[in-house]
Amino acid sequence: GVMPVKTLNFLELLRSAWNNVHWAARTRYVALGDKIASSILAQSANVPTLPWNGMDVRLEGAMDQVAAGECITVPEDVYSRGCIHSMQEGLAAAKKIGFPVMIKASEGGGGKGIRKVKSEEEFELAFHQVQSEIPGSPIFIMQLAHNARHIEVQIIADEY
């Protein structure tokens, strides 16, 4: 089978191999590829998101930057406000959002670093499982999307 590409090294190889293709700036790729940063960017552009622990985090002036054609990055301090830093902070966020929730590692994928939690009693164990599956990954909590289907489309294109 084909292994999914999750590293910037592949992008760099393609960039050097195909001189006639204009690739997105590295910072754009990183921001859109990160679950927390992309949620912050989406809600800063008034795109609806599921309730999550970073619902109040916004990038000031993001729409002006987009209109000016500028590259948007998520500063570390803003990014950190979208992260859960402890089990207790995560539990408080889950209570605020309302159960059931998903505990997600931003760097997770393929079923690793994600847990559905139906109640407060299940939260601590699930949180530690997510931490141990993707060590060092930023974690966030979001409302469970009931009866959802996952469809992912990746497009490589030029400025048009």
Side-chain angles (χ1 to χ4, degrees):
V2 176
M3 183 188 299
V5 177
K6 290 209 168 205
T7 67
L8 291 176
N9 294 339
F10 181 74
L11 181 65
E12 300 295 291
L13 282 170
L14 287 175
R15 182 178 287 151
S16 65
W18 296 342
N19 293 331
N20 63 335
V21 177
H22 299 281
W23 298 95
R26 183 181 180 117
T27 51
R28 280 190 203 151
Y29 180 82
V30 171
L32 293 176
D34 181 272
K35 296 170 183 79
I36 294 171
S38 61
S39 293
I40 293 169
L41 289 173
Q43 62 197 27
S44 296
N46 299 317
V47 174
T49 61
L50 283 171
W52 69 294
N53 63 276
M55 290 183 296
D56 61 336
V57 180
R58 300 275 191 285
L59 284 171
E60 297 302 320
M63 295 307 292
D64 294 333
Q65 287 179 285
V66 169
E70 297 175 13
C71 180
I72 299 174
T73 58
V74 178
E76 196 63 38
D77 63 319
V78 175
Y79 184 88
S80 182
R81 291 184 9 235
C83 298
I84 295 295
H85 302 283
S86 69
M87 193 284 299
Q88 294 80 7
E89 181 184 353
L91 181 57
K95 288 179 182 178
K96 182 178 178 183
I97 294 166
F99 290 96
V101 298
M102 299 297 289
I103 303 173
K104 299 179 80 171
S106 186
E107 297 168 3
K112 291 193 178 213
I114 185 169
R115 288 290 183 283
K116 175 181 172 181
V117 181
K118 298 177 192 173
S119 68
E120 187 176 335
E121 294 74 31
E122 297 176 6
F123 191 88
E124 184 173 1
L125 176 61
F127 185 85
H128 292 304
Q129 287 174 330
V130 169
Q131 278 185 317
S132 67
E133 286 178 7
I134 313 290
S137 174
I139 293 176
F140 65 107
I141 312 294
M142 68 183 302
Q143 183 181 66
L144 174 69
H146 295 280
N147 300 318
R149 299 286 182 250
H150 178 86
I151 299 174
E152 186 171 322
V153 177
Q154 296 180 357
I155 300 172
I156 297 177
D158 62 15
E159 63 186 282
Y160 304 103

